[in-house]
Amino acid sequence: MQETKQNKVARLLQKELAEIFQSQTRQMRGVLVSVTRVRISPDLSICTAYLSIFPSEKSKELLENITANSKTVRYELGQRVRNQLRIIPELRFFIDDSLDYSEHIDDLLKNS
C-alpha cells in the first residue's frame, strides 16, 4: 500500500515540477528543462528529481542555478500541491544524462 502512495505522489510531483520549470524557462529562448523521473522516499520527505536539460552544454550551469533556487521551487511546489500533500518534500535535483549516454553508444556502434 505504501508503494502505491509513493508512486502517486511521485507522479504528482513530476507533473507539477515540469509545469514549474516550463513556466520559468519560457523567458529563456532555446532552453528546455524536462523532469524525466522522480523518486520519493518512503516517508515522503525527500524528493529526488532527475532533469533532462537541452542544450546539454548548459546543463551544469542550469542545474547549479536550479539547486541554488531550490527553496523557491519548493515554495512554488507547495503552493500548487498544498491541498493534496500535508508535507512538502525536500527537493534534490540531478541531471539525467541517459539520452546523452545512449547517443554516445549509438555513435560508437556506427563508427565501429
Side-chain angles (χ1 to χ4, degrees):
M1 192 68 169
Q2 180 68 16
E3 199 170 293
T4 305
K5 184 171 183 169
Q6 276 180 267
N7 290 336
K8 285 182 180 179
V9 171
R11 282 195 309 267
L12 172 69
L13 294 177
Q14 181 176 2
K15 178 182 158 284
E16 294 299 336
L17 284 171
E19 289 178 8
I20 290 170
F21 290 133
Q22 184 180 23
S23 68
Q24 287 182 352
T25 58
R26 192 166 284 140
Q27 296 86 15
M28 302 169 64
R29 299 280 184 224
V31 174
L32 179 67
V33 177
S34 58
V35 183
T36 56
R37 190 171 64 223
V38 170
R39 307 270 175 172
I40 190 130
S41 64
D43 63 352
L44 306 178
S45 65
I46 298 173
C47 171
T48 305
Y50 294 90
L51 307 176
S52 178
I53 300 173
F54 179 82
S56 57
E57 299 84 41
K58 295 183 177 183
S59 62
K60 199 167 202 92
E61 174 190 340
L62 277 172
L63 182 68
E64 289 173 1
N65 189 8
I66 289 169
T67 304
N69 294 315
S70 64
K71 289 190 187 326
T72 306
V73 174
R74 184 179 180 201
Y75 175 77
E76 191 168 338
L77 181 67
Q79 295 298 311
R80 291 171 174 255
V81 299
R82 67 176 173 230
N83 295 329
Q84 289 112 337
L85 297 178
R86 194 168 17 144
I87 298 172
I88 306 305
E90 175 187 333
L91 299 175
R92 295 180 182 167
F93 298 104
F94 295 98
I95 292 180
D96 182 11
D97 56 356
S98 58
L99 289 175
D100 293 336
Y101 180 73
S102 64
E103 275 184 29
H104 177 68
I105 296 297
D106 285 343
D107 290 342
L108 289 174
L109 291 173
K110 286 178 186 175
N111 293 334
S112 60

